[in-house]
Amino acid sequence: MKGETYYSVRMRASQNGRHEDGGKHISGGEKLTPFDGLKHTVNALLEKGLSHSRGKPDFMQIQFERVNEPIRTIQPLLIETNEADSAEKGQELAKELISQAGVPRDMIEKAFREIAEYSRVRGAVLFDIHSGRRIDGRKDKGVRVSRMDWPETGFEEWAAGCGMPPNPRMKEALAVAAKVSGHPAVVAELCWSDDPDYITGYVAAGELGYQRITKMKEYGDESGCRIFFVDGLIDMKNCIDYLEKQPVLIQSGGEG
Ligand code: WAQ
Ligand code: MG
């Protein structure tokens, strides 16, 4: 795996024009593959964007580029599933978990009050746990974590080992979460989908692991959430560079 040349593949799809012209975000995806996996990867992203519960896109961009930086391998986070029978209880549990990860309670409340506003963002919001402010400065674009993947065979073995179905959505979320929690400035991540047909979300952090919560919103709701709670005293340029550019493969038994 190491030593091989990898390619970063990215897709974004929108409706009623491009994202930057005010189009509605439909789908995005980012993967990392060797050259001989490019065709399959591009096709998988095309399929993902074309058949999406948020709607039919009228703009899509898929691009690939060679990755020149050395690839880091990161271990998957421990995974746990927490049942919640209402969105309210799911979100309360999420707050509790984020607080266990080290985010002050008043900052968590502040972030939750701003979630509706953040849901327009098509990447992630970086929320400073000291000032209670959004500090990525990326407006509606947010920060898109890219250049990470979990090779299918490794993922399937891991999933079988924890008795989880090898669900591609969960694989993507686990890859994002493992990469994101690998940066020292990130204290916790909060996520749920903007897809109207998917209501499970999660809180993730290094020590806490990947804590799935089975209900974070109602079916039919198209507002998602992705907030990285960060320690704003740590160099944010370095953090954003890592999230966007550092190539990472998830691998059980990796350096962690
Ligand atoms: N980088 C930054 N933000 C992203 C990325 C990324 N690579 N991918 C998605 N987002 C943001 C963006 O704002 C989306 O609107 C939002 O997150 C939700 O993305 O069962 O499916 O891909 O364990 O819709 C989690 C639970 C599912 C999976 C999350 O998110 C499970 C999900 P979606
Ligand atoms: Mg989505």
Side-chain angles (χ1 to χ4, degrees):
M1 181 183 293
K2 276 193 170 162
E4 198 168 355
T5 303
Y6 274 79
Y7 292 78
S8 160
V9 191
R10 292 183 295 155
M11 178 276 289
R12 63 184 178 115
S14 58
Q15 189 181 62
N16 290 324
R18 296 170 160 251
H19 295 97
E20 53 273 43
D21 300 332
K24 174 190 178 187
H25 177 64
I26 298 293
S27 176
E30 24 282 302
K31 293 179 181 296
L32 207 53
T33 175
F35 189 82
D36 62 9
L38 273 175
K39 193 169 168 184
H40 172 79
T41 304
V42 168
N43 279 331
L45 287 174
L46 174 67
E47 184 61 31
K48 182 183 181 193
L50 280 181
S51 53
H52 205 282
S53 61
R54 286 177 61 76
K56 203 165 140 184
D58 51 33
F59 167 82
M60 187 187 292
Q61 183 171 297
I62 304 184
Q63 69 179 56
F64 72 76
E65 65 187 326
R66 191 182 68 220
V67 166
N68 298 314
E69 296 82 357
I71 294 175
R72 198 170 135 191
T73 55
I74 290 190
Q75 279 194 41
L77 294 166
L78 292 174
I79 181 169
E80 252 167 12
T81 301
N82 306 272
E83 301 290 334
D85 53 21
S86 71
E88 199 187 359
K89 286 187 197 157
Q91 294 199 12
E92 275 314 310
L93 174 60
K95 290 181 186 173
E96 180 54 39
L97 292 165
I98 297 165
S99 134
Q100 280 175 30
V103 180
R105 204 71 213 202
D106 55 333
M107 292 299 160
I108 301 174
E109 294 298 337
K110 182 160 191 294
F112 269 78
R113 284 197 296 274
E114 285 167 17
I115 280 178
E117 183 192 323
Y118 295 160
S119 74
R120 276 202 322 267
V121 179
R122 53 187 193 272
V125 161
L126 269 53
F127 183 91
D128 177 18
I129 66 164
H130 302 297
S131 67
R133 291 214 188 93
R134 182 177 173 193
I135 54 168
D136 53 275
R138 292 290 183 81
K139 306 207 166 103
D140 284 0
K141 185 166 181 252
V143 175
R144 216 49 220 193
V145 187
S146 299
R147 300 186 162 201
M148 71 284 158
D149 215 328
W150 194 342
E152 196 52 33
T153 329
F155 171 67
E156 282 171 11
E157 280 169 14
W158 173 90
C162 3
M164 298 296 293
N167 165 349
R169 179 195 296 272
M170 197 176 72
K171 178 177 108 164
E172 277 173 29
L174 279 158
V176 171
K179 178 175 180 187
V180 169
S181 70
H183 194 278
V186 180
V187 182
E189 177 186 359
L190 168 66
C191 168
W192 65 85
S193 183
D194 56 349
D195 305 7
D197 56 352
Y198 204 81
I199 61 170
T200 296
Y202 68 88
V203 169
E207 300 257 300
L208 200 66
Y210 180 88
Q211 296 284 340
R212 304 177 74 225
I213 302 171
T214 55
K215 184 162 188 184
M216 292 296 283
K217 65 171 192 180
E218 301 299 329
Y219 279 111
D221 184 349
E222 291 202 349
S223 9
C225 170
R226 202 156 220 144
I227 301 179
F228 302 157
F229 290 88
V230 295
D231 178 347
L233 302 175
I234 298 180
D235 182 2
M236 272 307 119
K237 186 183 175 308
N238 174 282
C239 180
I240 293 177
D241 265 7
Y242 166 87
L243 296 171
E244 293 179 332
K245 305 259 170 63
Q246 169 71 52
V248 165
L249 285 173
I250 311 303
Q251 193 183 26
S252 295
E255 68 196 48

